[in-house]
Amino acid sequence: MSSGHPGLINDFIEKGEPFHWSDKNLKEIEIIKSKYPEDRHQSAVMPLLYLAQNQNNNWLSTECIEAVSKALAMPKIRVAEVATFYSMFNLKPVGKNLIQVCRTSPCMLRGSKKITDTIIKETKCGINQTTDDGLFTVVEVECLGACSNGPMIQINNDFYEDLNEENTKKIIENIKENKPNKVGSQTGRVSSENA
Ligand code: FES
């Protein structure tokens, strides 16, 4: 099995701790692979990357890439190509709360810059940085598919929509104080109906 240039993957994906699939994920891998024809198991690369990321504190190390490569008999460089294409895959360690701010046109026109500035101010975390206490990582991403409710952000697996400076500040404060946040629209909008 070819893995491409041996040093190439380490140029853009960080090394981590040794990675071994959990028993639960080994079973899950077999279930996922069974959904594809025998000669098309490589099509399962995205769900396996997602499994690896979840098992590895929400980021993909070179060791994770190697584990997915082995599980699918797929060259490492091909796995890395997929991992580096999608912003849902994190290629270096991230904080406990990964804040993704949508900066694409619909959200931008509705004020995403103010949301970004508020988040930077309240978390004291710059873009593409992680706070020293590991509580926050902040990144900017392209459209997350909730344009009608922009501006919006994603924190870990949850969307927060219809944001303004005040409700964004409150969301950050609640996280710092370990209080729950209301997910979805912050203004009471139902789904993507007109407000
Ligand atoms: S432009 Fe922000 S969710 Fe689509």
Side-chain angles (χ1 to χ4, degrees):
M1 181 170 65
S2 162
S3 60
H5 186 285
L8 187 58
I9 291 173
N10 288 344
D11 288 348
F12 47 83
I13 300 178
E14 290 192 16
K15 280 189 77 61
E17 301 291 322
F19 179 88
H20 304 287
W21 293 109
S22 66
D23 289 345
K24 180 170 172 285
N25 279 344
L26 282 172
K27 285 185 194 140
E28 188 64 27
I29 286 168
E30 291 312 308
I31 292 169
I32 292 170
K33 282 165 70 174
S34 73
K35 295 176 181 171
Y36 299 89
E38 201 59 43
D39 60 344
R40 292 286 187 276
H41 280 172
Q42 294 183 2
S43 300
V45 63
M46 287 186 65
L48 261 65
L49 283 169
Y50 191 63
L51 274 188
Q53 179 164 277
N54 279 344
Q55 191 186 310
N56 195 53
N57 291 325
N58 205 16
W59 75 287
L60 291 170
S61 60
T62 52
E63 290 81 358
C64 294
I65 300 293
E66 283 163 11
V68 173
S69 159
K70 276 193 191 134
L72 297 176
M74 183 173 177
K76 278 188 279 186
I77 191 65
R78 298 270 320 281
V79 177
E81 283 167 359
V82 176
T84 54
F85 184 79
Y86 295 97
S87 62
M88 71 176 78
F89 297 125
N90 306 313
L91 307 178
K92 57 184 182 182
V94 294
K96 192 171 167 206
N97 296 278
L98 173 61
I99 304 178
Q100 302 181 66
V101 189
C102 175
R103 65 176 177 189
T104 303
S105 313
C107 281
M108 186 187 71
L109 291 169
R110 298 276 294 159
S112 65
K113 178 73 172 64
K114 283 184 184 167
I115 304 307
T116 304
D117 291 345
T118 301
I119 289 169
I120 289 172
K121 183 168 169 228
E122 296 303 318
T123 60
K124 299 187 173 48
C125 184
I127 301 295
N128 294 327
Q129 291 178 8
T130 298
T131 52
D132 289 342
D133 62 2
L135 191 58
F136 297 105
T137 295
V138 180
V139 297
E140 286 184 308
V141 295
E142 305 307 332
C143 181
L144 289 168
C147 323
S148 60
N149 297 9
M152 60 80 65
I153 59 176
Q154 180 174 347
I155 304 179
N156 294 337
N157 292 325
D158 293 319
F159 277 13
Y160 298 85
E161 304 156 356
D162 293 316
L163 296 176
N164 55 37
E165 287 155 290
E166 289 72 38
N167 57 30
T168 302
K169 186 176 170 192
K170 187 68 189 159
I171 289 167
I172 303 298
E173 277 174 6
N174 282 343
I175 291 173
K176 285 183 185 169
E177 292 168 15
N178 218 12
K179 291 181 183 165
N181 269 313
K182 173 178 179 282
V183 300
S185 172
Q186 301 299 302
T187 58
R189 185 202 298 265
V190 177
S191 185
S192 57
E193 290 176 2
N194 279 343

